Amino acid sequence: MKVPLLDVRRQNLPIEVDLLSAFRRVLESGQFILGREVEQFERDAAEVAGTHYAIGVSSGTDAILLALMALDIGAGDEVICPSFTFFATAGCVARVGARPVFVDSQSESFNIDPVSIESAITPRTKAIIPVHLFGQPADMEEIMAIARRRGLFVIEDVAQAFGASYAGRPAGSFGEFGTVSFFPSKNLGALGDGGLLTTNDPELAEKAARLRNHGANPKYYHSMIGGNFRLDAVQAALLGVKLPYLAEYTAGRQEHLSEYNRALAKVRGGEAVELILPSVLPGRTHIANQYTLRVRAAKGWNSAESPRDALRRFLAERDIAAEIYYPVPLHKQECFQAFGPYGELPAAEAMAREVISLPVFPEMTEEEQAAVTQAVVEFCEGGRP
Ligand SMILES: *Cc1c(COP(=O)(O)O)cnc(C)c1O
């Protein structure tokens, strides 16, 4: 059975009628840039985000960039972020002229390690960017305590965790800013690019909204230099159709996560490979944007290929898609070497070698999931290529 990593058509086609009528509404209005559709979506999305303000932006990446710009972070500043994350988190730091300072992550959660944050702080540190990776919130209580004690800003990268919560509060509502992505593979996916910047601070909200539109206020009068980071009215209208289904989409992913953990628990500790399944830590909801497990060599492993790469190849031969998020930690990326030197980050490096993400999209069928788990079990039980 062929199992894709993601099939957005299964999510979008059942609501085709509503998507088309939202599109028609925008078409007939002729209002494509900002305006009512964007404002309405911002109000609805702020409720899910649990923040007073939500600003529709062009992508999750631009949300991070805008947050850094609104906090006046630039040349001479340092921003602490995890090494084990998607490129955009740190790419934006470098783009505003600041230095990304990479720290290690925790093995249990894949998230930034608060202890490593503390030891990376220097007089130049301005902000911390925790990433709620794969859909599970980072240790926000510890991170906020460090930030408050040391006078640092916090920008939460909520790209993979829109709708997740920590201690009963939405991820993204703790720091100065939360940055959300509506890239089609995220829990709430647009039909193109889109993002959201959230905050509880009225002055930061006003400044970010202005920077989103070239820093102008009023039109053609610029007291600050911004850019074009606007969410399209068409995407806002389409996202407005999908937003009410977010909880349902997430529940589907969470069921798949539980089922994988249940079905794969029995193969843990095989002779040649060891599987480390993702854990859901207490006091938080994991929205399962990715189902990422770790594959390690055990005593009986006797191949030059890593067991993770072997599993990926084994799955591919059975037409089962899987992906490596992420194969190279950011402190090892060529483009960041000019900001170094960076020391070793053993947890992040081990994750990059061992992780593999299996299909977990909400519309995946029971049969498809069974095919994936069966293939993983077969691999572990010795049917390796
Ligand atoms: C997807 C993602 C982004 C970037 O979002 P885009 O909308 O694709 O620009 C940033 N950070 C993380 C952790 C992501 O997963």
Side-chain angles (χ1 to χ4, degrees), residues 57 60-75 77-81 87-101 124-130 152-157 176-179 196-199 204 207-209 211-212 224-226 229 336:
V57 295
T61 303
D62 286 344
I64 302 170
L65 193 60
L66 199 47
L68 291 161
M69 290 170 73
L71 294 170
D72 290 317
I73 291 170
D77 298 334
E78 291 180 354
V79 176
I80 295 173
C81 60
F87 170 80
T89 313
C92 294
V93 173
R95 285 171 66 191
V96 297
R99 174 173 183 253
V101 174
R124 291 175 299 280
T125 308
K126 284 283 153 46
I128 308 167
I129 310 185
L152 306 176
F153 297 125
V154 173
I155 299 167
E156 298 177 68
D157 184 339
E176 272 65 35
F177 284 113
T179 65
L196 194 73
L197 183 63
T198 64
T199 183
L204 287 178
K207 188 172 176 188
L211 287 168
R212 168 181 69 173
M224 54 181 95
I225 298 168
F229 304 122
F336 291 128

Side-chain angles (χ1 to χ4, degrees), residues 59-61 64 85-86 88-89 131 133 157 159-160 181-183 186 193-194 326:
S59 69
T61 303
I64 302 170
T85 178
F86 179 57
T89 313
V131 181
L133 205 66
D157 184 339
Q160 301 183 7
S181 166
F182 301 125
F183 185 78
K186 308 296 161 93
D193 280 306
Y326 299 92

